[in-house]
Amino acid sequence: MSFTGARQYPATRTRRMRRDDFSRRLMREHTLTAADLIWPVFVLDGEARREAVPSMPGVERLSLDLLIEEVREAHALGIPALALFPEVEPAL
């Protein structure tokens, strides 16, 4: 079936998904920047507390006052989001 006056692919490529800047960035391939990342942080109650996570070498749980420095570092690197993982009592 042919439409009068309509050109067929590949002569015509529709761009409906690329109209807005957001859509263009979403559809772009092979681009990874700090703005695409989420920084996972592990949180515990208290003040000035730092505790190793046994199952993840080099990773620590931080109290909220120490977490503020991590947030500043993430912001300085251009990372737009944090994923918070609070410490939960084993009984829960």
Side-chain angles (χ1 to χ4, degrees):
M1 177 181 256
S2 174
F3 297 103
T4 307
R7 296 182 346 193
Q8 293 182 345
Y9 180 83
T12 300
R13 293 176 47 200
T14 58
R15 306 272 188 213
R16 70 176 182 267
M17 297 303 286
R18 299 179 191 176
R19 182 183 67 216
D20 302 316
D21 179 57
F22 172 78
S23 298
R24 287 192 303 273
R25 285 185 286 122
L26 187 63
M27 301 296 165
R28 190 170 38 201
E29 295 182 33
H30 308 294
T31 302
L32 181 64
T33 66
D36 299 314
L37 302 177
I38 298 173
W39 187 309
V41 291
F42 300 86
V43 185
L44 51 83
D45 284 334
E47 289 185 17
R49 289 184 61 201
R50 182 181 299 264
E51 159 183 311
V53 178
S55 61
M56 293 183 280
V59 176
E60 296 179 317
R61 290 184 186 101
L62 303 172
S63 58
L64 291 177
D65 58 329
L66 298 177
L67 183 63
I68 292 171
E69 289 304 315
E70 292 287 314
V71 171
R72 286 189 180 120
E73 184 178 351
H75 182 265
L77 292 171
I79 299 173
L82 298 174
L84 298 176
F85 296 94
E87 181 182 41
V88 179
E89 295 179 29
L92 298 175

